[in-house]
Amino acid sequence: MDYRRIAKELLNEHPQTIAVALARLPAEHASEIMKLLPSFIQTDLVNRIVQADQLPSMVLEEIDRLLNRLLR
């Protein structure tokens, strides 16, 4: 998996989208990607990840499509 490419692509997304995307990945992948993101956003993402399960299913489905596109 090309963690650098995924991290770079995710930076084009809203922080909430990044957080949900990371929350939906296996922990080992999410942590590798998180390490590559700028430190100023990492704390914000951790806070958002904690709240990620409160999003509507339609939003989660769209983020799943984003993840599938990035992982191809």
Side-chain angles (χ1 to χ4, degrees):
M1 182 173 295
D2 186 352
Y3 295 123
R4 287 192 190 283
R5 183 184 63 78
I6 294 170
K8 183 179 176 183
E9 290 287 329
L10 284 175
L11 284 174
N12 294 320
E13 302 296 332
H14 186 278
Q16 186 65 39
T17 302
I18 298 170
V20 174
L22 292 175
R24 297 181 70 75
L25 287 174
E28 61 273 8
H29 296 309
S31 66
E32 291 300 321
I33 293 167
M34 180 78 91
K35 290 179 199 175
L36 296 170
L37 297 172
S39 60
F40 71 87
I41 198 171
Q42 290 178 4
T43 303
D44 180 43
L45 291 178
V46 170
N47 291 327
R48 290 172 184 268
I49 287 170
V50 170
Q51 301 171 7
D53 64 340
Q54 300 171 2
L55 293 171
S57 61
M58 186 187 327
V59 173
L60 296 175
E61 290 169 6
E62 185 166 336
I63 292 170
D64 283 343
R65 285 192 292 276
L66 168 68
L67 280 173
N68 285 331
R69 182 179 57 82
L70 290 175
L71 296 173
R72 277 189 245 143

